[in-house]
Amino acid sequence: MSDGVHLTLDALRTLARSKLVAVGLAPDHAAAVAETMVAGERDGCASHGIYRLLVAANSIAKGVVVPDAVPVVSEPARALVRVDGGGGFAQLAFERGRPLLVDKARAFGIAALALNHVVHFAALWPEVEALASEGLVALAFTPSHAWVAPAGGTKPVFGTNPIAFGWPRPGRDPFVFDFATSAVARGEIELHRRAGKPVPDDWGYDADGLPTTEAEKVLAGAMRTFGGHKGSALAAMVELVAGPLIGDMTSADSIAADGGRGGSPIGGELVIAVDPAGFLGEAVAEHLARAEAMFASIEGQGARLPSSRRYAARARSLAQGVTIPQALYDDIMRIGA
C-alpha cells in the first residue's frame, strides 16, 4: 500500500463525485458515474478505475457530453425498454432503465434494454453484475470509437466492442465476465503510455500499418482484435446488435461524430436480461445447481473462474481501501482547479 496515495472507498467516492461536479456534471450523473469508477478501482481494474476521471473530465470539457441530460424511458414493445440518454453518460440512463428491464424480464422471461444517444467510457461488468445480483442472466454489448482493425487488415473499423455476461449464483457472487473484442482495453494501452512502458507487439499497428511496441503509436494507429478472425467476427456482431439493430451509431459513426475532439465514444448499448424461472419454473433451483457443479469442476482442477480475481480484490479494498499512484492522484487533483 505504498508508492501512492491511500484512500478509503468512501473517500474515493467523495473525491470522484466532487471532481465531476466541479467540471460541470449534474449531481445525479456525477453520483452514477463516480460509482462505476469506484467499482473499477475497488475491484483492481485500474484501467477502468479512478483513472477514468481524466477521461470523463476530458469528454465534458470537449463538449462531447451533455452534462445535465435527462434520460427518457419508453417501451417500444411489451418486452423492450428504450432509454434516450440525451447525450449524457450511459450510467444514469442504465440506472433509469434497469428497474423496468428487471420487471419485464420477470414478467415475460426475457427482455431487452436499448440505451440510445449516450456516451461510454467504462466497462460493462457493473451492469451485468447488477442484473445477475437480481437473479437474472444478463448480456451487454456496446461499440466504441473505430480504433480496431479487422483481422487481416491494419486500418480501424471496429471499436474495442466489449461483451459482458452475468450468471446468478444463489448465495454467492455472480459469475461475470467482461472482455473487449480487441486484444486489450484501450485504457490499458493509455496506462502504458502514461508510464512510458512498451506494449507487446501484437497489440496493434502504427499509422503505417506496421507492428509496434510503442503505446503512443498504437493509439495513433490501430489496435488488433483478440484471437484473430474470431475476435473480429465478435466485434462485427457487437457493431450490428448495439448499432443498427437499436438505431444507433457504429464505431465509425461515433468517431466521425467526435470530429477530432478526442472524447469518449458516442452511441448505444444493448442489454438482454433472462429470468431462469421463465424457462424452468419450479425446476429453477435444480438446474442452477447443475451450473454450480460445472463451476466446481472448473475450480476443482485449479482453474480460475472469470471475476474471481475481481472479487478477491474487492474483499481487500473493502477492508483496506485502495492506493492511487501519486502521478495519477496529482492529475486528478488538478481537475476543476
Side-chain angles (χ1 to χ4, degrees):
M1 307 296 277
S2 58
D3 300 325
V5 178
H6 181 68
L7 297 168
T8 65
L9 294 181
D10 283 342
L12 187 67
R13 182 175 293 107
T14 298
L15 174 63
R17 288 185 180 184
S18 66
K19 289 298 182 181
L20 290 166
V21 170
V23 293
L25 199 60
D28 53 355
H29 279 283
V33 168
E35 208 57 43
T36 296
M37 295 173 179
V38 171
E41 201 68 41
R42 175 199 67 199
D43 287 9
C45 303
S47 65
H48 287 286
I50 207 65
Y51 153 73
R52 297 280 169 157
L53 263 177
L54 305 179
V55 176
N58 176 67
S59 290
I60 295 167
K62 297 291 178 63
V64 173
V65 180
V66 178
D68 58 352
V70 178
V72 177
V73 181
S74 62
E75 301 177 57
R78 290 198 303 165
L80 301 181
V81 184
R82 184 189 298 278
V83 183
D84 186 331
F89 284 119
Q91 282 74 18
L92 186 61
F94 175 75
E95 278 192 11
R96 296 288 166 84
R98 184 177 77 179
L100 190 56
L101 174 66
V102 171
D103 289 347
K104 286 180 179 289
R106 289 177 177 155
F108 303 115
I110 185 169
L113 165 66
L115 304 181
N116 290 111
H117 197 200
V118 291
V119 177
H120 292 276
F121 71 86
L124 295 177
W125 61 257
E127 297 171 13
V128 295
E129 184 178 325
L131 293 169
S133 296
E134 302 239 26
L136 303 175
V137 176
L139 285 153
F141 314 88
T142 187
S144 58
H145 281 332
W147 287 318
V148 182
T154 59
K155 301 300 180 184
V157 174
F158 304 136
T160 53
N161 291 14
I163 296 171
F165 175 78
W167 178 274
R169 302 184 68 187
R172 305 189 59 171
D173 291 319
F175 170 78
V176 172
F177 69 74
D178 177 350
F179 56 76
T181 53
S182 55
V184 67
R186 192 167 181 85
E188 190 65 32
I189 300 174
E190 175 62 21
L191 289 178
H192 276 69
R193 185 197 67 77
R194 288 176 58 85
K197 294 165 54 179
V199 300
D201 63 5
D202 60 355
W203 279 13
Y205 305 100
D206 65 18
D208 296 320
L210 300 174
T212 180
T213 60
E214 294 183 47
E216 193 162 353
K217 288 186 176 180
V218 174
L219 293 172
M223 300 164 63
R224 296 194 196 192
T225 58
F226 85 89
H229 70 280
K230 294 181 180 181
S232 191
L234 288 171
M237 179 193 71
V238 173
E239 293 286 336
L240 296 171
V241 301
L245 180 65
I246 62 170
D248 222 308
M249 295 187 182
T250 64
S251 296
D253 295 331
S254 173
I255 204 161
D258 180 78
R261 290 174 291 180
S264 293
I266 309 161
E269 177 181 341
L270 176 67
V271 184
I272 300 170
V274 182
D275 182 5
F279 284 107
L280 301 169
E282 293 182 359
V284 65
E286 171 192 347
H287 291 289
L288 287 180
R290 293 173 62 239
E292 290 301 313
M294 183 196 73
F295 294 138
S297 70
I298 293 170
E299 294 184 306
Q301 57 185 291
R304 179 178 67 85
L305 286 178
S307 69
S308 60
R309 182 195 60 79
R310 288 196 301 101
Y311 291 137
R314 183 180 303 182
R316 291 192 299 271
S317 299
L318 288 170
Q320 304 171 15
V322 295
T323 299
I324 310 302
Q326 185 68 55
L328 174 58
Y329 182 81
D330 291 343
D331 286 344
I332 288 169
M333 295 309 294
R334 284 190 282 268
I335 295 174

